[in-house]
Amino acid sequence: MAVEREEGVKLIGLWLSPFVLRVKLALNIKGVEYENHEELNTWDKSELLLKSNPVYKKIPVLIHKGHPICESMIIVQYIDEVWSSERRQILPIDHFERSEARFWAYYIDDKLFPSLKDHVSATTQEAKEKGAMEAAAALQPLEKFLEQSSKGKPFFGGDDIGLVDIALGSFLAWIKALEKLDGFKILRDDNLPKLATWAEHFCSHDAVKELVPDNDKMVQVVEFFRLKFSTA
Amino acid sequence: MSKSNVVLLDHWVSPYAMRVRIALWEKGVDFESKQQDLSNKSELLLRSNPIYKKAPVLLHDDKPLCESLIIVGYIDEVWPSPPLLPSSSYERATARFWADFIDKKFAEAATKLWRSARSTEELEAAKKEFFETLKQLEEFLGEKDYFGGENFGLVDLALIPFWSWFSAYEKFGGFKIESPKLYAWMQRCMERESVAKALPAQEKVLEFVCTLRKILGFDQ
């Protein structure tokens, strides 16, 4: 993939954050080189982060030509707009399909993310199994949308990954870590067959595979957060 | 464009539906408004928005669009004039950020004031949150005429419908909103035909909220 040095592109992020991963994926798809700044301590935020995102004080923040852009899906759309000509489009061209893609990205944050958070916080076997079932239930409508949106191709975006692939794919590392840790499969071949296949395609995509965090490391991360939430 | 091409599954008191009405009128798009009974949802609504089962839903040539800010984004793209979003990518991202803030922070805090705060402590916490978000919005407005700068835009459209709910917030929050800057902005927006048509009178909204609260078990 052709990579060119862009002036003034900095990403404030953290390797384990699915929201940061979305931005990295978008930048990678567009072949945009950037300076990566890891916020290693969420309980002692850097001056740069606090100054760049005073409203939420959260990652990711993209800084481009000195301007901070916040909120992962807003950043992804910004990237798609700024680096548009001659490069791969992340959002569909058709107005209705663009709105559909935005809707499902919204749904993923609104419904799937809270269910995954609940699953992470689960400490008993019962709660973990319930968490896995709820995550699978939240994914069900996406199974249906994938069939419609992909038109028989591997991704929500068709031949190549698009907005919904990025929005959902960024959670796969967490989903796989939860599956490994708890032993409850979320993306099962019997209930979410299309998504299970899609996940394989997504993770082996050129723009994705070098970015997805290592499963064993993610398992440790989930264990850490689980401990943090349970003693909070 | 024939009226039946654009149908809005509408609800008179929903700030989210008001956003869509404002956007359509700003663009001069003819549409048919179908008032929805949310206590007895129509087949059309359930079919058009199976995930959330809520209004507003825009049907354009029978294709359903859901979520007010997404609908407004669609309207802005399909009928580009006059634009609701700025032309620069950075300013567009900023507008989207604040529109999203209004939904994530302002609307949530405002809803807590009348809908979920049951104890004094909960109400005090809700008030604090509400005023904090208002302050952040005021800061972003700054000295500008509109949140969009010189022109009425996405953020203005996203926030102004809640003005019709202010009497309800004040009554159940037990406060008066003192902000000359915000009031000036609200008046400016209300001078627009689209906004004046879209917003119901505050008294009617207050009446609605009082009734709803009784149903929810408040004020017994």
Side-chain angles (χ1 to χ4, degrees):
Chain A
M1 190 162 312
V3 165
E4 49 183 89
R5 174 141 282 281
E6 289 282 351
E7 288 309 311
V9 183
K10 184 187 267 191
L11 173 62
I12 309 174
L14 187 59
W15 65 273
L16 56 86
S17 160
F19 304 102
V20 171
L21 181 57
R22 288 168 172 181
V23 179
K24 287 182 175 171
L25 287 168
L27 290 167
N28 213 24
I29 286 168
K30 298 288 189 175
V32 175
E33 217 176 75
Y34 58 96
E35 186 189 326
N36 191 45
H37 171 101
E38 290 281 294
E39 278 289 314
L40 290 167
N41 191 346
T42 191
W43 294 277
D44 182 16
K45 298 177 185 200
S46 72
E47 212 31 66
L48 180 65
L49 174 60
L50 296 174
K51 201 179 72 192
S52 308
N53 190 356
V55 175
Y56 295 116
K57 306 174 176 53
K58 289 204 288 199
I59 50 166
V61 180
L62 188 77
I63 303 178
H64 184 214
K65 295 180 184 172
H67 293 312
I69 302 114
C70 310
E71 293 301 296
S72 64
M73 294 318 294
I74 292 175
I75 300 172
V76 169
Q77 291 188 70
Y78 173 85
I79 290 168
D80 200 35
E81 282 179 22
V82 169
W83 289 280
S84 62
S85 54
E86 297 153 32
R87 308 201 202 197
R88 281 211 37 243
Q89 282 299 108
I90 293 172
L91 271 102
I93 308 285
D94 175 76
H95 297 307
F96 181 73
E97 288 175 14
R98 287 163 78 81
S99 301
E100 267 197 322
R102 285 170 175 146
F103 173 84
W104 287 104
Y106 169 81
Y107 171 84
I108 286 162
D109 284 351
D110 188 47
K111 294 288 178 194
L112 178 65
F113 175 56
S115 79
L116 288 174
K117 266 207 311 195
D118 284 345
H119 191 175
V120 170
S121 321
T123 43
T124 66
Q125 273 304 95
E126 210 176 64
K128 288 172 191 177
E129 188 170 10
K130 183 164 177 264
M133 278 169 49
E134 280 174 1
L139 284 164
Q140 205 64 51
L142 284 155
E143 171 84 7
K144 199 170 161 212
F145 178 62
L146 176 60
E147 181 161 9
Q148 173 207 319
S149 166
S150 63
K151 301 177 178 108
K153 309 270 172 75
F155 302 107
F156 286 94
D159 279 316
D160 215 330
I161 60 179
L163 191 76
V164 182
D165 299 281
I166 291 173
L168 182 59
S170 56
F171 283 113
L172 281 173
W174 281 79
I175 289 172
K176 286 182 178 183
L178 283 162
E179 287 178 336
K180 184 166 186 180
L181 192 56
D182 296 345
F184 297 114
K185 202 118 171 60
I186 297 170
L187 281 173
R188 294 198 327 261
D189 289 327
D190 59 339
N191 71 334
L192 298 166
K194 291 194 161 48
L195 280 176
T197 309
W198 164 85
E200 282 172 34
H201 288 308
F202 182 83
C203 291
S204 49
H205 188 284
D206 278 337
V208 175
K209 57 189 183 206
E210 64 208 42
L211 290 176
V212 175
D214 171 70
N215 194 232
D216 290 327
K217 282 206 178 107
M218 284 310 299
V219 167
Q220 288 179 333
V221 167
V222 175
E223 283 179 315
F224 171 79
F225 275 100
R226 192 163 265 174
L227 194 65
K228 196 104 191 97
F229 289 145
S230 67
T231 56
Chain B
M1 192 158 296
S2 93
K3 215 173 190 180
S4 60
N5 272 3
V6 185
V7 176
L8 176 61
L9 303 187
D10 207 347
H11 196 271
W12 70 276
V13 84
S14 157
Y16 306 100
M18 286 176 221
R19 289 170 172 177
V20 181
R21 297 204 289 274
I22 293 170
L24 289 166
W25 280 321
E26 282 285 318
K27 304 289 187 168
V29 174
D30 266 339
F31 65 98
E32 185 191 343
S33 159
K34 288 193 162 150
Q35 284 296 320
Q36 300 299 301
D37 178 359
L38 297 178
S39 61
N40 183 18
K41 296 179 182 185
S42 70
E43 191 52 50
L44 182 59
L45 178 66
L46 296 174
R47 203 172 62 231
S48 307
N49 191 356
I51 300 287
Y52 291 108
K53 306 174 175 50
K54 287 199 291 197
V57 178
L58 189 74
L59 295 162
H60 186 200
D61 293 333
D62 297 322
K63 292 204 276 200
L65 296 123
C66 308
E67 289 306 305
S68 63
L69 291 180
I70 293 174
I71 299 172
V72 168
Y74 174 84
I75 291 168
D76 197 41
E77 287 181 13
V78 172
W79 296 279
S81 185
L84 288 169
L85 277 170
S87 49
S88 109
S89 297
Y90 174 63
E91 285 173 22
R92 290 158 81 83
T94 305
R96 286 176 176 140
F97 174 87
W98 285 100
D100 178 65
F101 174 87
I102 289 163
D103 277 359
K104 274 213 212 20
K105 292 286 176 188
F106 174 81
E108 255 207 38
T111 303
K112 281 181 192 167
L113 287 172
W114 67 268
R115 195 180 178 118
S116 50
R118 297 228 178 223
S119 67
T120 316
E121 293 84 30
E122 281 178 354
L123 188 58
E124 282 310 305
K127 272 162 73 170
K128 185 161 176 270
E129 225 180 295
F130 181 77
F131 279 107
E132 254 165 48
T133 62
L134 261 191
K135 183 159 162 268
Q136 283 170 302
L137 285 163
E138 261 184 318
E139 265 170 38
F140 175 58
L141 179 62
E143 300 305 316
K144 307 195 289 283
D145 275 353
Y146 297 102
F147 284 94
E150 282 168 15
N151 300 306
F152 182 82
L154 180 74
V155 183
D156 305 281
L157 179 152
L159 185 59
I160 192 62
F162 295 97
W163 166 238
S164 63
W165 281 67
F166 266 42
S167 291
Y169 301 149
E170 287 179 334
K171 181 178 167 77
F172 296 111
F175 54 69
K176 195 94 183 70
I177 297 164
E178 310 275 359
S179 171
K181 207 182 263 190
L182 276 179
Y183 274 112
W185 165 79
M186 279 177 220
Q187 294 312 320
R188 221 171 274 128
C189 291
M190 290 300 292
E191 281 163 18
R192 302 181 82 79
E193 201 184 323
S194 61
V195 176
K197 266 203 305 189
L199 267 59
Q202 287 193 358
E203 304 79 57
K204 286 211 138 68
V205 177
L206 181 57
E207 203 182 302
F208 171 86
V209 177
C210 288
T211 309
L212 190 51
R213 272 174 65 99
K214 286 210 174 74
I215 296 171
L216 293 170
F218 286 89
D219 312 324
Q220 299 300 353

